Amino acid sequence: MTASPTPTTTRSQGVLPISDELGALITDQAAPVDAHAETPMYADRELSWLAFNNRVLDLARDAERVPLLERANFLAIFSSNLDEYFMVRVAGLKRRIAAGVAVPSVTGTLPRDLHDAILARTRTLVTEQSRIFQNEVRPALAAEGISILTWEELTAAEKDRMRSLFSERIFPVLTPLAVDPSHPFPYISGLSINMAVLVRNPITGAKQFARVKVPALLDRFIKLDEGRFVPIEEIIRRHLGQLFAGMEVLQQTTFRVTRNEDLEVEEDDAENLLYALEKELLRRKVGRPPVRLEVQDDIDPKMLKLLMSELDISEKEVFSLPAPLDLTGLFSLTGTDRDDLKYPKFVAATHRDLAEVETSQPADMFAALKNRDVLLQHPYISFATSVQRFIEQAAADPQVLTIKQTLYRTSGDSPIVDALIEAAQAGKQVLAVVEIKARFDEVANIAWARKLEKYGVHVVYGMVGLKTHCKLSLVIRDEGTTLRRYAHIGTGNYNPKTARMYEDIGLLTSHPMITEDVGKVFNHLSGLTVETDYRRLLVAPHGIRTGLLAGIDREIEHQRAGRQGYIRIKVNSLVDERLIDAMYRASQAGVKVDLWVRGICTIRPGVPGLSENIRVRSILGRYLEHSRIFAFANGGQPVVGIGSADLMHRNLDRRVETIVGISQKRHIQELIDLFELAFDPGTVSWHLNDTVWTERSRAEDGRFLRDLQSELIDRLRRRRDQHA
């Protein structure tokens, strides 16, 4: 694919050149016909996100297809997702309301009305989450010998052990904070579990409020024995008398505050971005306004009124729920040794083009990539024996001169980082583009940046005003008569841990045009060049929207010429109005538009006169669908690309992103076949009609439909058996 709006002289399978005429179409094409002028052209992005989290909740509801411990895990994912949503999206909305910004959204909704709608919808969802946990998952777990207990349900021996644990590990780090004229109301850190306690002096009769923060030094659910757990706050509750010696404990309950945690870093050319971010991270610890208050449903009204007053939070932002609060704690159950209650184990395979046929051992990466491109799909194909091995072999190979690498998110014990350090210590030139503004990973990324610099890696922090979100690795190798470039371009982060849970696509290649383009991107990032001339890449912020709009308009022209067109796109989120408008135009021209969207989707498919030819599917399961794929029929010569960009304003305008055109016909067919499987009526998926999502998991005769991820695992196993 290409990012340049100027004509190119090279045309090969998978390349998407943009002609002058089609470039003009991007700006001159009329807006789509709006058959519903009085209704919004787009769904609301924030409510669409809540619809996505409801699909996560659907998996927790599904007792017939989803194993029990996985249902508990989806409840935890739902909570974790909602925490981040409030910390970032709802916090930003409240900031606009506080600033008096009354600009309506693209749907025409004013910020205050949208805030009210979000809170009302969230209340419905968390009430349902609590019902699923309390009435379905918790009893089902107990029936399988996995119990989350109250103090009263513990055995005498367990109580003795918990008393010892409290005395030795919990009591020493607890700090009860009283509230009175000499003790102001304490700062409540975001997402912490807290106990609100009302005590009385037996001598004077005076009552006093106190707060106890539940420490994060232990697991949220303390393991008593195999399958037996107790929430840590239950242990503290039972021992409050030791904390408030000589006082009478009248009331106690738990509460939790969510705060604005979105970073606001002002950048300019003269400011050290690393220093600015470190300062902002310190500010994050205090002074962030609350956006949500969760309380135990048995809270005393007077105590709730006190919390609301001190936190300056309104009644509509309060969510009363049964104990235990914060179901992200259910993540700790995944370590339970009950494989029968989890998804069947699956071990990723080494790609057949990267394994020695005789021994099934990993092959020489550079020898393999001289002959062919390799298309990867994780987690079905092993990250360790493909991408990780590519970088590790480059670090150890004396013929490799240079390694260049982007790092957006990586793991705590990253073998990628270790390989880059090894390469630098061996005298290779190593460049790491570390995005230290990756949300919620800022502290870890600063630490990695410092460590890499310490060992001689050249570290740059991207570009002022832009996040570096592209997933690129480039190796330059001296092969005697020539210097050859090798590259990896992916849709996911260089993180071995998430590569086992996230579905992502990657391309390993030594194709000269692709690797030259990747080199240009790195020069753009490290040297601040203004590079827009790419032959096989689309590069944001200048080229991805332009290139995709040109591809859509080309499909319209093919359709009008009698060559049936299609557009197939797989992303995590679809929000960009210009691209949505172009898809509406394509639909009205008769082009079939298939959109595979995991999360936010603001297009409205199936609306008569607007989008009858647009289908939207969402697939969720044991793996998080994370890859981005872009496919066009192109008059019978399909053009397909993969990349890092979702179709959101931030990705297209405020990030460095890449999409690479796939050149080998068998790889193009693999990706087209993936769409065919996803949109097959026999595959489980959620269907979007206008703004309503509906899950389709059963055939008309009641049989369960095919699970896409299980089908891909089965296909891989069958290939293994055939070659065994």
Side-chain angles (χ1 to χ4, degrees):
M1 302 179 103
T2 178
S4 173
T6 58
T8 59
T9 56
T10 303
R11 183 179 181 88
S12 63
Q13 185 75 21
V15 180
L16 179 61
I18 304 174
S19 67
D20 288 332
E21 293 80 11
L22 281 174
L25 275 172
I26 294 169
T27 54
D28 296 341
Q29 187 73 264
V33 177
D34 183 3
H36 300 262
E38 295 184 0
T39 59
M41 295 277 286
Y42 320 103
D44 184 87
R45 113 169 231 158
E46 308 304 345
L47 298 179
S48 179
W49 186 93
L50 288 172
F52 153 67
N53 215 28
N54 186 47
R55 297 197 291 280
V56 175
L57 201 56
D58 281 343
L59 295 172
R61 291 185 185 99
D62 194 341
E64 293 183 281
R65 292 188 304 124
V66 181
L68 182 56
L69 282 173
E70 306 294 350
R71 294 176 65 198
N73 199 52
F74 283 119
L75 288 172
I77 292 170
F78 174 92
S79 290
S80 178
N81 287 348
L82 201 60
D83 287 346
E84 183 172 340
Y85 177 70
F86 269 82
M87 288 189 290
V88 178
R89 300 302 306 177
V90 178
L93 187 59
K94 281 197 72 174
R95 202 161 51 231
R96 293 198 296 277
I97 294 170
V101 178
V103 178
S105 68
V106 293
T107 65
T109 309
L110 292 171
R112 195 174 297 277
D113 294 334
L114 179 56
H115 187 228
D116 289 344
I118 288 170
L119 294 175
R121 181 59 178 147
T122 300
R123 193 173 310 281
T124 300
L125 290 177
V126 297
T127 300
E128 174 65 1
Q129 180 202 24
S130 179
R131 184 199 67 78
I132 294 169
F133 173 66
Q134 299 290 353
N135 298 347
E136 297 180 12
V137 172
R138 192 174 190 173
L141 286 169
E144 291 287 349
I146 302 171
S147 300
I148 299 171
L149 306 164
T150 63
W151 178 265
E152 289 71 23
E153 293 172 310
L154 304 190
T155 66
E158 288 170 339
K159 288 179 180 178
D160 286 342
R161 284 169 47 210
M162 292 304 101
R163 290 187 187 101
S164 297
L165 178 71
F166 180 82
S167 298
E168 296 169 8
R169 299 291 305 278
I170 301 175
F171 180 79
V173 298
L174 293 179
T175 304
L177 296 173
V179 177
D180 60 26
S182 63
H183 297 87
F185 193 86
Y187 180 81
I188 309 297
S189 54
L191 302 188
S192 61
I193 297 289
N194 299 270
M195 304 202 73
V197 185
L198 183 66
V199 296
R200 179 171 59 196
N201 188 317
I203 298 174
T204 65
K207 296 179 182 179
Q208 198 166 12
F209 173 86
R211 171 260 191 162
V212 179
K213 181 178 178 179
V214 176
L217 78 165
L218 295 174
D219 289 336
R220 177 67 204 300
F221 294 146
I222 305 298
K223 187 174 182 179
L224 301 162
D225 203 344
E226 192 60 45
R228 291 178 64 80
F229 300 86
V230 61
I232 188 172
E233 62 266 29
E234 277 287 301
I235 302 170
I236 297 172
R237 177 183 69 84
R238 179 60 181 80
H239 295 87
L240 287 173
Q242 291 177 236
L243 278 177
F244 299 96
M247 305 291 281
E248 182 183 356
V249 177
L250 300 178
Q251 297 174 20
Q252 56 76 32
T253 191
T254 54
F255 70 97
R256 184 174 184 257
V257 175
T258 310
R259 294 185 177 274
N260 177 351
E261 297 288 349
D262 202 17
L263 288 177
E264 302 170 62
V265 181
E266 296 296 329
E267 308 171 40
D268 58 49
D269 291 322
E271 186 174 28
N272 183 308
L273 177 59
L274 188 64
Y275 176 67
L277 189 61
E278 287 176 322
K279 285 197 303 182
E280 182 62 21
L281 286 168
L282 288 174
R283 288 178 53 204
R284 179 190 268 181
K285 296 179 183 298
V286 295
R288 294 289 187 173
V291 294
R292 176 179 60 164
L293 172 62
E294 297 168 275
V295 298
Q296 204 168 305
D297 57 5
D298 63 354
I299 190 170
D300 180 81
K302 292 181 180 178
M303 189 176 284
L304 175 58
K305 187 176 181 181
L306 172 66
L307 290 175
M308 290 168 56
S309 173
E310 293 292 346
L311 292 168
D312 190 22
I313 202 161
S314 67
E315 184 176 359
K316 63 186 179 183
E317 295 171 291
V318 177
F319 296 86
S320 298
L321 299 164
L325 300 181
D326 182 19
L327 293 183
T328 60
L330 293 173
F331 281 130
S332 63
L333 300 186
T334 58
T336 303
D337 187 18
R338 288 293 301 275
D339 288 346
D340 58 313
L341 302 180
K342 301 176 185 178
Y343 285 121
K345 287 186 176 180
F346 168 70
V347 178
T350 296
H351 194 286
R352 60 183 178 274
D353 292 338
L354 300 177
E356 296 288 356
V357 177
E358 298 295 328
T359 63
S360 296
Q361 294 301 307
D364 180 286
M365 297 295 293
F366 302 121
L369 296 178
K370 281 180 189 177
N371 301 320
R372 62 177 69 86
D373 290 352
V374 175
L375 186 69
L376 309 166
Q377 186 179 20
H378 312 298
Y380 312 105
I381 296 299
S382 168
F383 180 89
T385 60
S386 56
V387 180
Q388 183 178 321
R389 178 167 171 76
F390 172 68
I391 298 167
E392 289 176 336
Q393 185 176 329
D397 189 336
Q399 291 178 255
V400 168
L401 306 179
T402 302
I403 302 174
K404 299 184 179 184
Q405 178 76 48
T406 62
L407 292 173
Y408 190 75
R409 303 186 198 274
T410 190
S411 58
D413 52 350
S414 172
I416 304 294
V417 170
D418 291 343
L420 296 178
I421 290 171
E422 177 189 338
Q425 290 179 316
K428 304 181 195 304
Q429 185 179 69
V430 182
L431 171 72
V433 182
V434 180
E435 181 46 75
I436 55 174
K437 293 177 291 179
R439 183 176 286 146
F440 303 124
D441 276 347
E442 299 94 346
V443 173
N445 286 6
I446 287 173
W448 287 126
R450 298 290 196 204
K451 181 177 180 180
L452 288 164
E453 286 179 324
K454 175 183 175 181
Y455 288 101
V457 175
H458 300 297
V459 178
V460 296
Y461 305 113
M463 306 180 71
V464 171
L466 299 174
K467 280 188 179 181
T468 303
H469 190 250
C470 52
K471 322 299 183 184
L472 302 175
S473 183
L474 180 68
V475 172
I476 301 172
R477 191 169 186 262
D478 183 353
E479 299 188 350
T481 58
T482 185
L483 292 182
R484 188 186 297 269
R485 297 184 182 97
Y486 298 84
H488 173 263
I489 305 103
T491 68
N493 298 308
Y494 291 96
N495 187 325
K497 292 183 178 177
T498 58
R500 294 192 290 270
M501 299 179 289
Y502 286 23
E503 179 273 341
D504 273 301
I505 305 287
L507 180 72
L508 285 165
T509 183
S510 63
H511 192 295
M513 281 192 282
I514 296 176
T515 56
E516 181 182 355
D517 278 357
V518 172
K520 288 180 179 180
V521 175
F522 276 110
N523 289 341
H524 180 52
L525 292 170
S526 64
L528 303 181
T529 60
V530 181
E531 180 65 72
T532 59
D533 184 20
Y534 298 98
R535 291 189 288 176
R536 295 297 300 276
L537 296 183
L538 296 175
V539 181
H542 302 295
I544 289 182
R545 183 188 285 109
T546 303
L548 294 178
L549 286 171
I552 293 169
D553 286 324
R554 182 180 289 110
E555 290 306 304
I556 294 173
E557 292 303 304
H558 282 304
Q559 187 74 27
R560 288 172 177 165
R563 297 180 294 272
Q564 189 170 14
Y566 68 68
I567 298 163
R568 293 171 173 173
I569 293 176
K570 179 180 189 288
V571 287
N572 297 305
S573 300
L574 171 58
V575 172
D576 188 77
E577 290 84 13
R578 287 185 64 191
L579 285 166
I580 290 173
D581 288 349
M583 293 177 204
Y584 286 152
R585 289 199 306 271
S587 173
Q588 292 160 14
V591 178
K592 301 298 183 184
V593 181
D594 285 345
L595 304 171
W596 180 356
V597 185
R598 186 188 86 235
I600 303 168
C601 182
T602 61
I603 201 168
R604 298 176 60 191
V607 177
L610 180 68
S611 55
E612 295 104 323
N613 289 308
I614 298 176
R615 298 189 297 175
V616 179
R617 301 288 184 266
S618 184
I619 293 176
L620 284 73
R622 68 183 292 178
Y623 302 129
L624 185 142
E625 293 287 333
H626 191 251
S627 64
R628 292 89 167 184
I629 309 171
F630 308 87
F632 301 89
N634 193 37
Q637 295 184 337
V639 172
V640 180
I642 64 166
S644 58
D646 285 314
L647 301 187
M648 305 178 75
H649 309 124
R650 71 185 188 194
N651 299 89
L652 304 179
D653 298 324
R654 301 190 299 277
R655 290 184 174 187
V656 180
E657 306 269 16
T658 57
I659 296 174
V660 61
I662 303 300
S663 59
Q664 294 189 8
K665 289 184 178 180
R666 65 188 178 101
H667 294 158
I668 290 172
Q669 192 59 50
E670 279 183 44
L671 296 174
I672 291 174
D673 289 346
L674 192 60
F675 277 98
E676 294 289 346
L677 180 60
F679 281 81
D680 189 295
T683 298
V684 175
S685 62
W686 282 260
H687 295 217
L688 178 62
N689 184 40
D690 197 349
T691 59
V692 178
W693 286 96
T694 305
E695 183 184 15
R696 298 190 183 179
S697 60
R698 290 181 183 269
E700 291 183 0
D701 61 5
R703 290 181 299 107
F704 283 118
L705 301 179
R706 173 201 308 117
D707 180 84
L708 179 140
Q709 296 178 353
S710 297
E711 174 66 17
L712 293 177
I713 290 172
D714 289 343
R715 290 181 181 183
L716 185 62
R717 284 175 172 155
R718 287 196 292 269
R719 286 199 298 270
R720 278 176 173 169
D721 292 342
Q722 289 170 2
H723 293 91

